[in-house]
Amino acid sequence: MALQVLGSIISFLILPWLPGPIIGMLLLVIGLVLLGGVPDSLERTAAVLLKYLPLLLVVPASGIVLSHQQLAQDALPIAGALVGSLLVAIPVCGRLLQWLVRRQEAR
C-alpha cells in the first residue's frame, strides 16, 4: 500500500502519463530484486489474495455485458489493440520466464 501511495505521488509530481499503481508495482519489483526474494509475510498475503483473484474479474465482466453495444461498434480498434498487446506480451513474458529459469538454475 505504501508503495502504491509513493507511486501515486511520483505519478502526480513527475510522471503524469504513468498510473501510480504501475509505478508502485515497479517499485515493489525493484525492492524484491534488491532483497533477493519474497519475504514470507508477503508470500502468505499474496497466496490469500490469489484465492480471491477471480472475484476481481466480476466487475469488468459485468461492464462488458452492460456495454456490449458500444464494444460492438468499436470492435475493430479493440481487436487491434488486443492483438497488438498480445504480440508484445508473449515475447516479453517468454524472455522474462527464460531469465527467471536461468536465475533459478544458477542458485
Side-chain angles (χ1 to χ4, degrees):
M1 186 70 173
L3 292 175
Q4 182 178 352
V5 171
L6 182 61
S8 296
I9 292 170
I10 291 172
S11 174
F12 181 75
L13 295 176
I14 301 171
L15 303 168
W17 48 270
L18 195 59
I22 300 295
I23 296 172
M25 189 177 299
L26 290 174
L27 292 172
L28 175 64
V29 169
I30 291 169
L32 292 176
V33 168
L34 292 176
L35 284 175
V38 179
D40 288 339
S41 61
L42 182 59
E43 191 170 338
R44 284 192 305 259
T45 304
V48 170
L49 289 176
L50 282 176
K51 290 179 185 175
Y52 300 106
L53 188 61
L55 291 176
L56 296 176
L57 300 176
V58 170
V59 175
S62 62
I64 289 171
V65 169
L66 291 175
S67 60
H68 69 279
Q69 291 178 345
Q70 180 70 30
L71 291 173
Q73 290 175 351
D74 297 330
L76 189 60
I78 291 171
L82 289 173
V83 169
S85 63
L86 186 68
L87 292 175
V88 171
I90 287 178
V92 169
C93 289
R95 290 286 183 184
L96 179 63
L97 187 58
Q98 288 176 344
W99 178 75
L100 290 171
V101 167
R102 271 189 251 123
R103 184 170 175 226
Q104 187 73 24
E105 289 175 352
R107 288 185 178 180

